[in-house]
């Protein structure tokens, strides 16, 4: 299974455009058992976007089911809106909003308890030596190391220096990170890659890296580009069957 997930972030600014993007993707994606497509729109659009082929995810969640928490969105609300997935610990939440590991772990646990698959984001903030990269990643994922019983977690490796900068991460570095997770941290969840991803670089990453798909940012708002990425994933999945 290849996962192609689109994180819309704080875009677009109106429902009309959100529907245009979503239903163009829905119309042109024929459905494929080997490719799982989902989009993560802003909360306000979730109830208006529905499809059996294109799944939905949320960009964030609060860890309590309900209560006096002004401005928060609970996992039960996400389930009611048809969300199957939820991003947790995205770098923009970590470094702009100030979320720490304690908050991120609460959100991850809340997703799992309420049958929502969390997409746990991680990645180094700057280009540094790989020794420092390992220290930073180990700190971000330490609660996964301590609790081996977590099930149905998907990881998304997003080096912050690659997000929205056009600096896609080198495939050898992605593989170094994947090997570090499996061989040194003994973390063996599915892993997606994200960071300046587009239809020109995604095939090389699929072919050279042992990943399970992509968390696409800006390109997921460009329907033709996102559909090209899906098409490449479909061809790759089909080639693996041979």
């Amino acid at each position: 299974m290849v996962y192609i997930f689109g994180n819309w972030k704080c875009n677009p600014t109106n429902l009309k455009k959100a529907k245009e993007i979503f239903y163009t993707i829905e119309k042109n994606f024929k459905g494929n058992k080997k490719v799982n497509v989902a989009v993560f729109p802003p909360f306000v659009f979730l109830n208006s976007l529905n499809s059996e082929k294109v799944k939905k995810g949320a960009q964030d969640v609060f860890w309590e089911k309900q209560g006096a928490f002004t401005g928060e969105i609970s996992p039960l609300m996400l389930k009611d809106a048809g969300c199957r997935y939820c991003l947790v610990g995205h770098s923009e939440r970590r470094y702009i909003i100030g979320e720490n590991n304690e908050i991120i772990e609460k959100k991850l646990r809340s997703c799992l308890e309420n049958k929502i698959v969390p997409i746990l984001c991680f990645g180094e903030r700057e280009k540094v030596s790989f020794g420092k990269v390992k220290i930073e990643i180990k700190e971000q994922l330490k609660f996964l190391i301590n609790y081996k019983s977590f099930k149905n977690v998907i990881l998304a490796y997003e080096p912050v220096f690659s997000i929205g900068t056009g600096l896609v991460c080198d495939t050898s570095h992605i593989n170094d990170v994947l090997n570090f997770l499996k061989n040194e941290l003994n973390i063996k969840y599915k892993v997606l890659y994200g960071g300046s991803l587009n239809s020109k670089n995604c095939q090389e990453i699929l072919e050279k890296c042992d990943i399970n798909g992509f968390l696409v940012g800006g390109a997921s708002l460009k329907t033709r580009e996102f559909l090209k990425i899906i098409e490449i994933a479909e061809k790759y999945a089909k080639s693996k069957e041979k």
Side-chain angles (χ1 to χ4, degrees), residues 32-117:
N32 187 318
K33 292 182 179 180
K34 296 294 182 180
V35 178
N36 187 336
V37 175
V39 297
F40 294 69
F43 289 128
V44 292
F45 303 142
L46 283 171
N47 280 312
S48 300
L49 308 176
N50 296 288
S51 167
E52 289 296 321
K53 294 185 294 183
V54 180
K55 301 175 181 65
K56 291 187 295 187
Q59 297 178 21
D60 189 31
V61 66
F62 190 62
W63 56 84
E64 296 289 352
K65 293 181 178 180
Q66 63 183 47
F69 306 106
T70 301
E72 297 295 348
I73 306 293
S74 83
L76 295 184
M77 296 172 187
L78 297 184
K79 286 190 71 175
D80 186 67
C83 288
R84 299 194 187 188
Y85 305 99
C86 182
L87 301 181
V88 178
H90 192 281
S91 62
E92 290 156 6
R93 304 287 314 174
R94 293 178 188 267
Y95 301 122
I96 298 175
I97 309 301
E99 290 186 1
N100 57 28
N101 265 1
E102 181 181 357
I103 291 172
I104 292 167
E105 182 178 353
K106 285 181 180 180
K107 292 183 174 185
L108 183 140
R109 287 179 175 275
S110 180
C111 285
L112 293 174
E113 288 168 3
N114 291 282
K115 305 296 188 294
I116 296 173
V117 178

Side-chain angles (χ1 to χ4, degrees), residues 20-191:
E20 178 186 323
I21 296 169
F22 183 85
Y23 288 110
T24 300
I25 295 168
E26 199 267 349
K27 179 181 178 181
N28 289 278
F29 174 53
K30 304 305 180 184
N32 187 318
K33 292 182 179 180
K34 296 294 182 180
V35 178
N36 187 336
V37 175
V39 297
F40 294 69
F43 289 128
V44 292
F45 303 142
L46 283 171
N47 280 312
S48 300
L49 308 176
N50 296 288
S51 167
E52 289 296 321
K53 294 185 294 183
V54 180
K55 301 175 181 65
K56 291 187 295 187
Q59 297 178 21
D60 189 31
V61 66
F62 190 62
W63 56 84
E64 296 289 352
K65 293 181 178 180
Q66 63 183 47
F69 306 106
T70 301
E72 297 295 348
I73 306 293
S74 83
L76 295 184
M77 296 172 187
L78 297 184
K79 286 190 71 175
D80 186 67
C83 288
R84 299 194 187 188
Y85 305 99
C86 182
L87 301 181
V88 178
H90 192 281
S91 62
E92 290 156 6
R93 304 287 314 174
R94 293 178 188 267
Y95 301 122
I96 298 175
I97 309 301
E99 290 186 1
N100 57 28
N101 265 1
E102 181 181 357
I103 291 172
I104 292 167
E105 182 178 353
K106 285 181 180 180
K107 292 183 174 185
L108 183 140
R109 287 179 175 275
S110 180
C111 285
L112 293 174
E113 288 168 3
N114 291 282
K115 305 296 188 294
I116 296 173
V117 178
I119 315 301
L120 177 59
C121 303
F122 73 100
E124 68 271 27
R125 193 167 187 179
E126 299 175 343
K127 278 192 172 184
V128 292
S129 69
F130 195 64
K132 291 183 178 179
V133 170
K134 293 198 292 185
I135 292 171
E136 190 169 355
I137 289 175
K138 186 175 181 180
E139 173 63 23
Q140 291 175 354
L141 300 179
K142 64 182 180 181
F143 55 86
L144 288 184
I145 301 168
N146 295 335
Y147 298 96
K148 302 294 184 183
S149 61
F150 285 139
K151 304 292 183 182
N152 299 320
V153 175
I154 298 176
L155 300 180
Y157 173 56
E158 292 195 303
V160 180
F161 63 82
S162 285
I163 299 175
T165 63
L167 301 173
V168 67
C169 197
D170 186 82
T171 54
S172 62
H173 180 78
I174 296 172
N175 280 325
D176 285 342
V177 170
L178 296 174
N179 289 330
F180 173 61
L181 294 179
K182 295 176 182 178
N183 300 327
E184 296 189 44
L185 300 184
N186 195 31
I187 293 176
K188 299 178 180 179
Y189 298 109
K190 295 180 178 69
V191 183

